[in-house]
Each structure stands twice: as structure tokens, then as C-alpha cells.
Amino acid sequence: MRPYGLPLEILVPDTARVIRKEYDIMNDITVRSGAEFNIQIFQSEATHSDARAIKAEQLESIWQDPNFIELALDEPQGFIFKKYGSEKGEDFD
């Protein structure tokens, strides 16, 4: 994902397409391959340098989302969560 400005690597199907949209306050990077594979990543500047507090704020935000299903992975530096949308999917921060 480095060509798209993200310091991370993910395994995706060979047929995956990456779409990057830039907004005033964030970037939206979507990786799709057919109907079964869809990852959406939001990137923005941190509001402060306390990583724990930022993560707590983001968790509070997703818990209030009516489409939130569950945390799929929770680590000190971030998390991945599942939510309902136009189709069931996962999201992470």
C-alpha cells in the first residue's frame, strides 16, 4: 500500500483494484476484487500524539455506528472491525 501513501502491506487477490479518493480531511483507499473482497481504509492526520487516546476515540465512534458488528482484531496500535454496509464487510483503524 506504500504507492498509495500507507505504510502497510496486505495480501489481496491478483484481480484487486485500488481506488484512492482524497478529501479535505482524509484519504479513502478502497481495495476491491469482485463481490467477496472489499477493504476500505481511511487515512487522516492525528489530532494529537497520544496513540491510546486516538484509538479510544475511534473505538467509541465505531461502537456508536448502527452498522457495527464486532471487533475482528484488537491490537495496541489499531483494530479491524466488521460492519454491515451495502454488504457485510470489515473495516479497520
Side-chain angles (χ1 to χ4, degrees):
M1 298 303 298
R2 292 185 197 285
Y4 301 97
L6 295 173
L8 59 97
E9 293 182 21
I10 56 175
L11 296 175
V12 301
D14 293 337
T15 58
R17 277 189 12 216
V18 178
I19 301 165
R20 179 185 170 107
K21 296 178 185 174
E22 295 184 23
Y23 300 101
D24 290 337
I25 60 170
M26 71 175 180
N27 295 319
D28 174 351
I29 298 96
T30 302
V31 184
R32 286 192 178 133
S33 181
E36 297 298 317
F37 188 88
N38 185 7
I39 296 176
Q40 188 172 23
I41 305 165
F42 297 111
Q43 175 192 33
S44 65
E45 293 292 321
T47 54
H48 47 81
S49 62
D50 184 347
R52 256 184 242 216
I54 293 170
K55 180 182 171 189
E57 291 167 5
Q58 294 298 314
L59 282 169
E60 183 65 30
S61 174
I62 65 156
W63 287 329
Q64 294 179 22
D65 184 340
N67 294 314
F68 172 74
I69 300 170
E70 67 182 0
L71 286 178
L73 178 67
D74 188 3
E75 295 186 348
Q77 67 275 24
F79 55 90
I80 298 173
F81 64 96
K82 295 182 181 183
K83 70 177 190 175
Y84 294 108
S86 57
E87 54 192 66
K88 184 177 171 183
E90 293 188 3
D91 206 346
F92 63 94
D93 263 331

